[in-house]
Amino acid sequence: MADLVIVAGVSGSGKSTVGEALALELGVPFVDADSLHSAANVAKMAGGTPLTDEDRGPWLDSIGQAMRSAENDGLVMACSSLRRRYRDQIRASAPGTFFVTLTGSRELLAERLAGRAGHFMPPALLDSQLAAFEPLQPDERGIDLSIDAAPDTLVARAVEAIRAHP
Ligand SMILES: Nc1ncnc2c1ncn2[C@@H]1O[C@H](COP(=O)(O)OP(=O)(O)OP(=O)(O)O)[C@@H](O)[C@H]1O
Ligand SMILES: O=C(O)[C@H](O)[C@@H](O)[C@H](O)[C@H](O)CO
């Protein structure tokens, strides 16, 4: 099976940066799950209100379908996938998905969000993102990476982990 990877984590953890570089390295397409959010979801977040499970349900279904459709060609998706049950929902469609979670201190995340311009996600939502996040559990296929390393180091570690867990 081709590589099916989701780069997950809270806002500002580096999902888009690391995901894009990882896709290049693996030679597969890259999709940012932010582009699959409904206009209503984006407006809600931009207005400073965290999404609920109900808001995320249809979005997670569309992500599961996109992953499943990519089973032959491979895909790297940047998608927050904050809770275990969200990852379960995606795996229900695409069981082969490997999750790379990006985690770091609140301080570092806040610094990276503050240094970024032109994004709809307000830094004020960081605490709700951190409250929702559930780390990978031992039975989940994936790896957790600490975001204090440079993006190319994170990509190399992710590739190594993907190859080690066929
Ligand atoms: N490992 C890293 N080292 C240094 N800076 C990084 C690293 N990863 C990401 N960044 C920077 O941190 C900021 C946030 O990264 P990015 O936009 O990729 O996060 P994200 O998780 O995709 O965010 P969101 O979910 O809100 O779209 C960007 O300015 C990016 O250049
Ligand atoms: O589940 C969620 O709350 C969302 O996916 C957010 O995580 C954002 O879309 C993203 O982080 C901002 O770009």
Side-chain angles (χ1 to χ4, degrees):
M1 197 186 70
D3 294 312
L4 274 187
V5 182
I6 289 188
V7 182
V10 300
S11 182
S13 58
K15 303 181 293 289
S16 317
T17 306
V18 174
E20 250 184 282
L22 178 61
L24 264 180
E25 185 68 27
L26 294 173
V28 301
F30 170 75
V31 173
D32 196 322
D34 275 350
S35 68
L36 302 176
H37 270 307
S38 64
N41 275 4
V42 172
K44 195 168 178 181
M45 289 186 277
T49 306
L51 299 182
T52 62
D53 284 1
E54 289 67 38
D55 294 325
R56 291 181 178 124
W59 173 66
L60 291 164
D61 277 339
S62 66
I63 289 158
Q65 280 158 23
M67 298 306 289
R68 187 193 189 95
S69 312
E71 274 172 356
N72 290 327
D73 295 339
L75 181 65
V76 175
M77 174 96 75
C79 170
S80 51
S81 315
L82 297 176
R83 298 187 196 277
R84 164 78 197 234
R85 63 180 176 278
Y86 300 167
R87 299 190 291 269
D88 287 342
Q89 191 175 335
I90 294 168
R91 278 187 292 254
S93 299
T97 304
F98 187 96
F99 284 87
V100 176
T101 54
L102 299 177
T103 56
S105 70
R106 185 189 181 285
E107 196 184 8
L108 182 55
L109 289 161
E111 195 181 292
R112 294 218 177 134
L113 282 171
R116 185 174 75 169
H119 195 285
F120 69 82
M121 193 72 173
L125 281 186
L126 177 58
D127 286 327
S128 71
Q129 293 270 303
L130 287 168
F133 180 69
E134 296 168 357
L136 284 178
Q137 292 174 342
D139 64 322
E140 293 186 82
R141 193 164 162 267
I143 188 168
D144 179 69
L145 299 176
S146 172
I147 61 167
D148 39 26
D152 56 350
T153 305
L154 297 175
V155 168
R157 285 182 190 154
V159 170
E160 196 184 339
I162 292 162
R163 295 292 169 250
H165 299 89

